[in-house]
Amino acid sequence: MTENSQAQPAANPELPTQYAPAEVEGKLYERWVERGYFEADEKSGKPPYTIVIPPPNVTGSLHLGHAFEHTIIDALTRRKRMQGYETLWQPGMDHAGIATQNVVERELAKEGKSRQDLGREAFVERVWQWKEQSGGQISGQMRRLGDGVAWSRERFTMDEGLSDAVQTIFKRLFDDGLIYRAERIINWCPRCLTAISDIEVEYQDDDGELVSIKYGDGDETLVVATTRAETMLGDTAVAVHPDDARYAHLVGRQIKLPLTDRSIPVVADEHVDPEFGTGAVKVTPAHDPNDFEIGRRHDLPNITVMDERAVITVPGPFQGLDRFEARSAIVAALRADGRIVAEKRPYVHSVGHCSRCKTTVEPRLSLQWWVKVATLAKAAGDAVRDGRVTIHPKEMESRYFAWIDNLNDWNISRQLWWGHRIPVWHGPNGETVAVGPNDEPPTGEGWHQDTDVLDTWFSSGLWPFSTLGWPEQTPSLEKFYPNSVLVTGYDILFFWVARMMLFGLYAMDGTPPFHTIALHGMVRDEHGKKMSKTFGNVVNPLDWMDKYGADAVRFTLARGANPGVDVPIGEDWVQGSRNFANKVWNATRFAMMNGATVEGPLPDVPEMSAADRWILSRLNETVAQVDALYEDYQFAKLSDALFHFAWDEVFDWYVELSKTTFFAGGEQAKVSGRVLGEVLDVTLRLLHPIVPFVTETLWTTLTGKESVVVADWPADSGFRDEAAEREIEHVQQVVTEVRRFRADQGLQPGQKVPGRLDLSATPLAAHEAAIRQLLRLQEEGDAFQATATLPVAGATVALDLSGTIDVVAERKRLTKDRDAAEKEKQQATAKLGNEAFLAKAPDNVVDKIRGRLTKAEADIERLTAQLAALPES
């Protein structure tokens, strides 16, 4: 069938009686790395296949989300490597500006120091020291999982080469007028003292308060409601809808702002929803993004009322108070002044928090650096619309377009010390000069570099090409760009994925960074709940790997990987995958001990039994099915197909059907041994990308070859034998029905009973010995009494159950079950015959009732046959 089926030296069939993952996984992985299997050669003539790792934070450790994503990527790259591609899985880590700075600042705090005590240069040096000593533990954990990455190419977003890429693209964008500096509303963390991106804001429902405040007096009175009373000190207007007749007489007039000596205008703006609340809203342009836009439209002043630590700066009784202290004090003052119309507490509402330190985020007007995204975003949208980039699953396209088509300018500056410092120098007379990696910065009195650093997403947005040597036109860039596919979570479609699209198209002359974006869901617990330390359901995948092996964790994750859908996972599922790995091990070991071999060519078809032809036909169908599912990123379905083929068809049916042949010996045993060797060879190669460790051990022992990592991926030979498939399906039907009857009578699976087979009306005579073995049937003997007779699929199976069951009790039980099934059938039939019901009921309800009817009819048929098979009481 394939190159791997050619004659091989005799393999050593000796395997330990039990598979012990801990004893083999580490050694196998180091052997793979030492032999260079995962490295990529840009000089090879093989077609390229490139995937970048979504760079984990240098502060991070492997969690189930990483393990899930890495399992998918590793399976894709292992398969492509076996298919003959020059495969590059690019590893690396992100410097994770805020997260890393916070970690090191906490370490300093233990010494009673702050970063200000060290100064910028010394602090940055301290971070580098931490990175070398403690950062990047995730690399070792990736090895535990079996990640086949090109370790010699590992990159870090603060490496010299990647820093050059950052400076280069910043200068190009700056020179093209696509980077500018301006005051805008940003997400500000008063604890981290920096702007943070949208993705670094976590929203949760908090208990707050909603207060309704009366602005103005007499006929010039308006009521506004707010959850942030402290920001009223920065109000510069009250806004109403232009068509709201209630307030038409006030538009353009000034009203008194409570607790201050200021008056503010009433403005008409279509942003206001007249149906919400009182239809009037306070406008605080310096502390709310929507208010900022209203302020711009009406030329309102921006009054900042808090400093960077969220402490009130407005002169007066509230100056120096923390924002939350000020909130209580201001509400109390308003109440004393008779300005509070209504109060609601607790008032549950969604509040943004810093994902790093959990501090409540403050919208704040700030002077920041921005990327002008309009033209870049249009290019990113066009690349998907014209088919240069495919989003999988396709239904995620609409979410991508909803974001990319409405993308706002991107705030790229962060008020941190750790990160890529903005390559801009400011002069004494307001000059601004962007400096590239090969440029000399301006010098002289008054010149200084901008103090901000770039958003982490700025450098990670360059990842698909900066890791390949850009801006230099390297052989790696020529060979491996664009990436073949990006595998990542749908949760960062709008952030990392969008940034890579913006930058890739811009920097690489319109060539997108990848051909396909394959989006997966989030890992959740077995109840579908988000994993969180708060919920106490976070799982360390290393713990499961220690208990069950990496293959078990990988297979469990792959079996849950439906494109774009969240993945529930529980420990019992990992146990089940461990059982599967053990089944593969034990069945392969048994097969090899009983004649399975890859030596020599496959026998000619006429020499094979029906079971041999059946399993080869099913094998090729499975190869074709798995290939199609890989191309569609349907990991759950392909894993399930492999599971059922290996466990059910190969081990539970073909191996069992072949036992009598192996025990009998002779030429037919040699034929079936070669067929079984072929099936095991191909099955292990099909399984390898998902469960690499157990398959490596078994395949190299079976074949005597170097490694399954560099073996050929199986190809569908086109061999199909429908007649053999029908014949074995006939055998399966007989065995399955009789087994079900045995189980219904309470017989243990291994319990032998006397039985008589009449296969004369079927083509199954050649399978009598195998059927007897599978059904645990003894020869009938002189005292045989046919106490139960089952007509099954044209065959007749008579069993002697005397002394094994209580016939009266069994007949009573079966009769009761059949009566219940008859009642279910009547109810379902009545509903489906009711035209009024059918006209009103949803399709899914009708389908469910049809399913109940089908099941009831099948149950009646089965139970009637079982009753007929019982002896008369």
Side-chain angles (χ1 to χ4, degrees):
M1 292 174 65
T2 67
E3 179 183 325
N4 282 277
S5 301
Q6 296 175 2
Q8 303 294 333
N12 177 10
E14 295 182 4
L15 287 165
T17 55
Q18 291 184 326
Y19 177 52
E23 296 177 12
V24 301
E25 290 178 350
K27 296 175 184 177
L28 284 182
Y29 189 84
E30 290 310 313
R31 184 188 308 162
W32 293 336
V33 173
E34 289 168 5
R35 292 179 178 177
Y37 292 154
F38 305 141
E39 296 302 325
D41 180 7
E42 59 264 17
K43 298 178 182 178
S44 82
K46 299 178 182 178
Y49 186 81
T50 315
I51 297 181
V52 295
I53 187 174
N57 288 354
V58 68
T59 60
S61 60
L62 193 73
H63 56 64
L64 268 181
H66 289 125
F68 173 56
E69 187 168 79
H70 290 201
T71 294
I72 294 174
I73 299 175
D74 196 41
L76 288 171
T77 52
R78 284 179 183 269
R79 173 174 173 261
K80 286 296 183 179
R81 188 178 295 113
M82 295 171 76
Q83 287 182 313
Y85 286 79
E86 192 61 41
T87 303
L88 170 59
W89 183 8
Q90 173 66 55
M93 287 181 292
D94 191 281
H95 64 279
I98 295 177
T100 307
Q101 180 158 315
N102 281 348
V103 168
V104 177
E105 286 197 81
R106 284 195 294 269
E107 292 295 316
L108 284 175
K110 295 176 184 177
E111 304 169 15
K113 298 178 182 177
S114 69
R115 61 182 166 117
Q116 285 78 14
D117 293 330
L118 270 66
R120 185 166 192 148
E121 289 187 12
F123 176 77
V124 170
E125 179 59 31
R126 180 70 176 261
V127 180
W128 277 108
Q129 291 173 8
W130 175 88
K131 187 261 181 185
E132 295 304 319
Q133 295 168 5
S134 306
Q137 61 174 309
I138 203 167
S139 296
Q141 296 165 341
M142 288 166 59
R143 293 171 182 265
R144 282 288 311 278
L145 189 64
D147 287 0
V149 300
W151 287 112
S152 69
R153 294 172 174 264
E154 187 174 12
R155 297 292 180 265
F156 180 56
T157 51
M158 291 279 285
D159 284 349
E160 183 178 352
L162 272 66
S163 295
D164 285 351
V166 168
Q167 286 183 278
T168 299
I169 200 162
F170 185 98
K171 180 170 173 54
R172 290 188 186 179
L173 290 164
F174 183 89
D175 290 347
D176 286 346
L178 296 176
I179 284 182
Y180 64 95
R181 197 182 191 206
E183 279 195 324
R184 296 284 188 274
I185 295 288
I186 45 86
N187 302 306
W188 181 265
C189 176
R191 156 61 183 81
C192 298
L193 300 180
T194 181
I196 59 176
S197 66
D198 291 339
I199 198 173
E200 291 162 327
V201 178
E202 294 179 346
Y203 288 90
Q204 66 185 47
D205 287 342
D206 286 357
D207 286 345
E209 60 180 350
L210 181 68
V211 294
S212 298
I213 308 168
K214 182 173 67 174
Y215 282 31
D217 294 296
D219 294 337
E220 297 178 350
T221 297
L222 286 169
V223 175
V224 300
T226 182
T227 58
R228 301 165 66 215
E230 68 279 8
T231 63
M232 67 166 293
L233 300 176
D235 286 359
T236 56
V238 173
V240 298
H241 193 274
D243 299 331
D244 195 333
R246 293 172 296 174
Y247 306 117
H249 66 289
L250 291 177
V251 173
R253 297 171 68 175
Q254 298 279 325
I255 63 173
K256 183 74 167 54
L257 178 64
L259 305 184
T260 72
D261 58 0
R262 293 191 294 116
S263 292
I264 57 177
V266 177
V267 299
D269 195 280
E270 292 188 351
H271 169 76
V272 179
D273 180 0
E275 302 300 323
F276 183 78
T278 64
V281 297
K282 58 192 289 297
V283 181
T284 320
H287 292 277
D288 184 274
N290 293 322
D291 292 4
F292 178 77
E293 294 302 324
I294 293 175
R296 292 179 69 180
R297 287 193 289 272
H298 297 277
D299 198 24
L300 300 174
N302 302 315
I303 300 177
T304 300
V305 300
M306 300 177 211
D307 65 12
E308 60 185 10
R309 298 182 185 275
V311 173
I312 301 299
T313 57
V314 177
F318 311 111
Q319 187 174 13
L321 294 181
D322 169 81
R323 56 182 163 163
F324 300 120
E325 296 172 335
R327 181 176 300 171
S328 298
I330 287 171
V331 170
L334 288 167
R335 190 183 300 115
D337 201 26
R339 292 285 175 176
I340 299 295
V341 175
E343 297 180 67
K344 184 178 181 180
R345 63 171 64 86
Y347 178 73
V348 179
H349 61 132
S350 182
V351 178
H353 295 260
C354 175
S355 63
R356 304 301 177 191
C357 68
K358 310 309 176 186
T359 301
T360 300
V361 169
E362 190 66 38
R364 184 171 188 261
L365 186 64
S366 181
L367 182 61
Q368 301 282 343
W369 288 96
W370 304 82
V371 172
K372 191 181 297 183
V373 300
T375 57
L376 302 175
K378 182 181 183 304
D382 290 346
V384 175
R385 287 188 169 94
D386 64 24
R388 283 175 290 156
V389 177
T390 300
I391 294 179
H392 188 87
K394 189 173 179 60
E395 54 264 27
M396 288 287 181
E397 277 189 5
S398 60
R399 297 179 63 177
Y400 174 80
F401 291 134
W403 177 265
I404 208 74
D405 293 345
N406 298 283
L407 197 59
N408 295 318
D409 285 359
W410 171 20
N411 167 218
I412 57 172
S413 47
R414 300 290 180 265
Q415 291 63 55
L416 303 171
W417 287 356
W418 172 245
H420 294 282
R421 193 165 175 181
I422 288 179
V424 167
W425 267 253
H426 301 285
N429 299 311
E431 303 96 331
T432 303
V433 177
V435 175
N438 300 316
D439 299 335
E440 289 293 331
T443 57
E445 186 176 352
W447 283 95
H448 64 279
Q449 187 175 359
D450 197 284
T451 57
D452 288 351
V453 300
L454 287 162
D455 177 14
T456 297
W457 298 102
F458 191 96
S459 51
S460 61
L462 312 180
W463 192 247
F465 50 94
S466 63
T467 51
L468 299 173
W470 187 91
E472 301 299 323
Q473 295 303 306
T474 64
S476 288
L477 188 66
E478 183 178 352
K479 176 80 172 182
F480 295 113
Y481 187 91
N483 288 195
S484 306
V485 61
L486 173 74
V487 177
T488 192
Y490 64 70
D491 57 317
I492 57 174
L493 173 64
F494 312 134
F495 304 103
W496 185 47
V497 179
R499 307 312 183 206
M500 287 188 289
M501 288 287 283
L502 299 179
F503 282 164
L505 290 159
Y506 173 79
M508 301 301 292
D509 299 321
T511 302
F514 17 73
H515 297 301
T516 300
I517 302 169
L519 298 170
H520 59 72
M522 312 296 291
V523 177
R524 297 181 177 271
D525 71 11
E526 58 193 306
H527 305 295
K529 197 172 185 179
K530 179 181 178 181
M531 288 193 173
S532 164
K533 292 180 181 178
T534 303
F535 300 146
N537 60 354
V538 173
V539 173
N540 182 347
L542 296 178
D543 293 340
W544 281 353
M545 283 189 263
D546 289 340
K547 291 175 70 174
Y548 307 112
D551 285 334
V553 174
R554 290 170 62 115
F555 195 67
T556 303
L557 292 165
R559 287 194 80 181
N562 289 298
V565 178
D566 288 349
V567 183
I569 183 172
E571 186 168 0
D572 56 336
W573 302 337
V574 186
Q575 292 175 358
S577 295
R578 186 269 314 273
N579 295 343
F580 175 63
N582 288 341
K583 179 78 170 182
V584 174
W585 179 274
N586 294 332
T588 303
R589 181 175 179 273
F590 171 85
M592 292 168 63
M593 292 173 63
N594 287 276
T597 180
V598 295
E599 294 185 44
L602 273 176
D604 292 334
V605 171
E607 300 175 37
M608 298 181 192
S609 68
D612 295 335
R613 300 194 308 276
W614 165 74
I615 196 63
L616 288 177
S617 183
R618 293 297 307 130
L619 176 67
N620 279 286
E621 180 61 34
T622 301
V623 171
Q625 182 183 11
V626 168
D627 272 334
L629 291 170
Y630 259 114
E631 295 304 315
D632 199 33
Y633 303 97
Q634 296 282 356
F635 281 88
K637 291 181 180 179
L638 73 89
S639 299
D640 213 46
L642 287 171
F643 174 88
H644 288 294
F645 174 72
W647 192 307
D648 299 343
E649 297 186 288
V650 179
F651 303 140
D652 278 359
W653 282 107
Y654 180 68
V655 169
E656 293 298 321
L657 285 168
S658 302
K659 278 183 178 179
T660 53
T661 302
F662 291 140
F663 294 159
E667 288 302 314
Q668 189 57 52
K670 292 180 181 179
V671 170
S672 293
R674 180 62 190 90
V675 170
L676 181 54
E678 176 74 8
V679 172
L680 290 175
D681 169 16
V682 174
T683 301
L684 291 171
R685 282 185 281 146
L686 288 173
L687 284 167
H688 172 73
I690 298 173
V691 285
F693 295 107
V694 67
T695 52
E696 171 79 340
T697 305
L698 293 173
W699 189 84
T700 53
T701 305
L702 171 71
T703 66
K705 285 189 170 185
E706 178 185 350
S707 174
V708 69
V709 177
V710 290
D712 290 338
W713 179 252
D716 175 10
S717 71
F719 176 80
R720 302 288 191 280
D721 192 322
E722 293 182 4
E725 291 202 34
R726 286 194 299 271
E727 186 171 330
I728 299 305
E729 285 171 6
H730 207 157
V731 173
Q732 291 173 322
Q733 188 176 359
V734 171
V735 172
T736 300
E737 288 298 318
V738 177
R739 279 178 171 173
R740 183 182 290 122
F741 177 79
R742 284 173 52 106
D744 286 341
Q745 309 313 311
L747 298 178
Q748 296 299 314
Q751 185 176 350
K752 292 185 177 181
V753 296
R756 178 189 301 152
L757 283 177
D758 181 0
L759 304 175
S760 58
T762 73
L764 302 183
H767 301 286
E768 179 169 352
I771 292 173
R772 281 188 167 276
Q773 170 69 24
L774 290 165
L775 290 178
R776 304 293 189 266
L777 297 183
Q778 297 174 330
E779 294 298 328
E780 47 193 286
D782 294 337
F784 180 80
Q785 287 183 304
T787 59
T789 303
L790 287 83
V792 182
T796 302
V797 182
L799 303 176
D800 183 354
L801 303 178
S802 57
T804 62
I805 62 171
D806 182 338
V807 174
V808 174
E810 186 61 20
R811 182 174 292 280
K812 183 177 181 181
R813 183 184 70 82
L814 292 174
T815 301
K816 181 180 179 181
D817 289 348
R818 186 175 64 176
D819 289 346
E822 290 279 8
K823 184 177 180 181
E824 175 74 4
K825 177 184 176 181
Q826 291 171 5
Q827 291 175 343
T829 301
K831 284 192 175 182
L832 293 174
N834 185 334
E835 294 297 333
F837 169 78
L838 294 176
K840 295 180 180 179
D843 290 344
N844 64 317
V845 172
V846 175
D847 289 342
K848 186 175 181 180
I849 294 172
R850 288 194 179 112
R852 284 167 47 192
L853 176 61
T854 300
K855 181 179 183 303
E857 291 173 338
D859 287 344
I860 292 167
E861 182 179 356
R862 174 176 58 82
L863 293 165
T864 299
Q866 290 177 14
L867 282 164
L870 286 174
E872 294 296 328
S873 55

